[in-house]
Structures are given as C-alpha cells and as structure tokens.
Amino acid sequence: KFLFSNLSMWGLNKKQKDQVSYLRTAINCDEKTALELLRKANWDVDKACDLFFSDPANKAAFKPTASKKQEELFNKYKQKQGSTIDMDGVNEFLTDLKVDPLDPTTLAFSYYCGAKTMGEYTKDEFIMGLYKLKCETLKDVQNAFKSLKSTMEKDEKEFKEIYKYTFNFAKDQGSRNLNYDSAKALWEILLKGRFPFLDQWLAFLEQQPNKNDITKDTWNMLIEFHSQTKGNLDNFVDDGAWPVMIDEFYEHLKTKK
C-alpha cells in the first residue's frame, strides 16, 4: 500500500504534490481519488472539486472538517448549554456582520449551509456553509455576503436554486405546504424589485379562499412564470403545465391589462 502510494505520486512536481495535499484536505478523500480527480480536471483544483461533488453520493455523504478558526467562529455563536446556533446566536451573528435579518443574503447563506430549520444552524450546517463560501473568519463571511448579494442579483440560475430551497426551509416541520403569511413575507424579501407583478400577485392571493396553503408547486412555478414573462404577459406560454393558481393569476392580469 505504501509502495503504491509513492508510485502514484512519482513524477509530480512540488506544485502538483501541494495540489494533491490540498484536495485531500478539502474533500476528505484518499490520495488515489485526489490524483484521479486532478488528472481528469487537468490539475485545476476547483474543477476537481466540482467533479467530486457532481456525484450525488459524494455530495450527500460529504462532511468537511472544521479548521481551528471555523471552530472558534461556530463556538462564538452557539448556545452555551447546547450544540447548535439558536435564534439568539443567529441574531448576534447577523448583528456582527452588520446584515439585516430581512436581507435575502441571509437565505443564500442558509442555502449554502444546507440548513433544515429556519433560525437555527447545527454545527455541521454552519461549517458546511463556511467551507463552501471559503470562509475562516467573520471578515471572510462579510465579504462572502457581499458576493452573495451580487450573485443573487446577476445569476438567475443561482437565484432560482436559493428561491426554491427556501420553501422547505421556511415551512413548518411535518407540513406539506407553506402558510400564506410566511410565503408573503418571503416573496417580499426575495422578489421585491425583481418580479414586476409582485404587488398584483399578493393582491390576487388576498382574494383567494385557500390562500393559507401555498403548495410547493405554486411556489416553484411562480419564479418560472417570472422567468418566462419578464414583466410582459405576451411572453406567457400556456402549455397546460402551470398550477391552477398561476393560470388563474394570468387570466386575472389579462383582464386588468
């Protein structure tokens, strides 16, 4: 085993050996896996990481090892008698970052953490967020939040993923749907200034008898409706696949046009 390990590293220059070492630490893999990934990625570490996480099994099983600074950052905000960062810790974290709790970047950070419950981060979730955003210190996180704000504004694909993640993140545990008040607050955070029909959508929902239950399909397809129409109803394609609520909203808008 030792001989094979040395042979597999044979002929590598110092930079390549450092890349192997870095990748092994970054994704918690063995030397052979790191070598295979780097060779497939033409010795681009970021591409090698992407290759690793393109395998759903690797992505699901991966758990980064916290650095000393990441441990210190988590411990600063976690409960004194607990193992998670609770709502008080989250508020202190955001205060130190000088970030408004209603800023959409807070949802983006939770998305990168893979957080399951609003207002709480487990240690694994918090460390995962720091790992993905390449953060070690509070200053790093502040810079990451600035980048997240820019990404959400410019990268529609990334924004959609964060938007769709928010449904499960925000709904009550055990519930299939999102209550209307929560959905309304989140739409105002995520879609204000982005979705031209937001005010009309919320006014339309206020008139619906079943507005207290927002389904995942309605939540997800609203962003698709926005992507297709871009503020122009003439772009709408009625292919029969839209949720009833979206169809009815479209008809409602047409009558007001």
Side-chain angles (χ1 to χ4, degrees):
K1 203 168 186 179
F2 178 77
L3 178 62
F4 174 78
S5 175
N6 275 287
L7 285 173
S8 65
M9 296 284 282
W10 184 261
L12 300 185
N13 59 39
K14 184 181 183 304
K15 180 181 178 182
Q16 290 172 323
K17 288 177 181 177
D18 288 344
Q19 287 173 310
V20 171
S21 177
Y22 175 85
L23 187 62
R24 289 188 65 185
T25 301
I27 62 175
N28 289 338
C29 72
D30 57 30
E31 184 180 280
K32 182 181 177 183
T33 301
L35 278 164
E36 288 175 352
L37 289 167
L38 283 165
R39 283 170 176 152
K40 285 180 182 176
N42 198 26
W43 294 94
D44 183 315
V45 174
D46 287 337
K47 287 182 180 177
C49 285
D50 290 342
L51 279 173
F52 178 79
F53 288 117
S54 66
D55 183 330
N58 289 340
K59 189 173 183 179
F62 177 69
K63 180 180 172 182
T65 301
S67 68
K68 183 180 178 181
K69 287 184 178 180
Q70 289 171 336
E71 285 272 3
E72 289 171 352
L73 198 57
F74 174 77
N75 290 333
K76 180 179 180 181
Y77 299 108
K78 82 175 184 71
Q79 303 170 71
K80 287 182 173 57
Q81 302 300 323
S83 57
T84 64
I85 297 175
D86 63 6
M87 182 64 80
D88 289 339
V90 171
N91 286 333
E92 184 183 350
F93 176 58
L94 294 176
T95 297
D96 288 350
L97 289 171
K98 297 180 174 57
V99 172
D100 188 326
L102 298 181
D103 192 298
T105 53
T106 61
L107 295 170
F109 181 75
S110 294
Y111 162 78
Y112 276 95
C113 291
K116 302 289 192 299
T117 305
M118 188 172 277
E120 176 185 290
Y121 296 118
T122 66
K123 182 177 180 179
D124 286 348
E125 290 169 350
F126 191 75
I127 297 302
M128 178 64 82
L130 297 182
Y131 169 81
K132 287 184 176 178
L133 294 169
K134 300 179 180 177
C135 296
E136 293 277 323
T137 65
L138 192 68
K139 183 65 176 176
D140 292 339
V141 182
Q142 285 179 319
N143 291 333
F145 266 68
K146 291 174 185 175
S147 295
L148 287 174
K149 189 175 187 68
S150 176
T151 298
M152 290 182 77
E153 290 171 354
K154 298 174 183 176
D155 188 331
E156 187 173 354
K157 182 180 177 183
E158 181 94 345
F159 176 81
K160 274 188 184 181
E161 289 181 6
I162 294 166
Y163 173 89
K164 291 181 178 181
Y165 153 82
T166 301
F167 181 88
N168 285 332
F169 178 56
K171 72 182 179 64
D172 294 331
Q173 289 186 352
S175 176
R176 291 182 60 190
N177 301 326
L178 184 61
N179 72 71
Y180 173 70
D181 289 337
S182 295
K184 180 182 178 182
L186 288 165
W187 277 322
E188 288 177 332
I189 290 171
L190 288 164
L191 299 183
K192 199 169 187 66
R194 179 184 291 264
F195 180 38
F197 299 120
L198 178 60
D199 290 341
Q200 294 97 315
W201 169 247
L202 295 178
F204 169 76
L205 287 180
E206 287 289 346
Q207 307 304 316
Q208 304 306 306
N210 58 339
K211 72 173 185 293
N212 289 328
D213 283 325
I214 303 300
T215 66
K216 187 173 185 177
D217 194 30
T218 297
W219 176 271
N220 286 348
M221 293 306 286
L222 182 67
I223 198 66
E224 300 300 338
F225 176 81
H226 162 61
S227 293
Q228 187 177 104
T229 57
K230 298 291 186 187
N232 185 351
L233 292 180
D234 293 336
N235 294 330
F236 182 73
V237 178
D238 188 359
D239 56 6
W242 296 97
V244 172
M245 191 82 80
I246 301 292
D247 269 331
E248 290 180 350
F249 177 58
Y250 168 68
E251 294 298 329
H252 168 77
L253 287 177
K254 279 206 308 182
T255 63
K256 300 288 184 181
K257 195 173 177 182

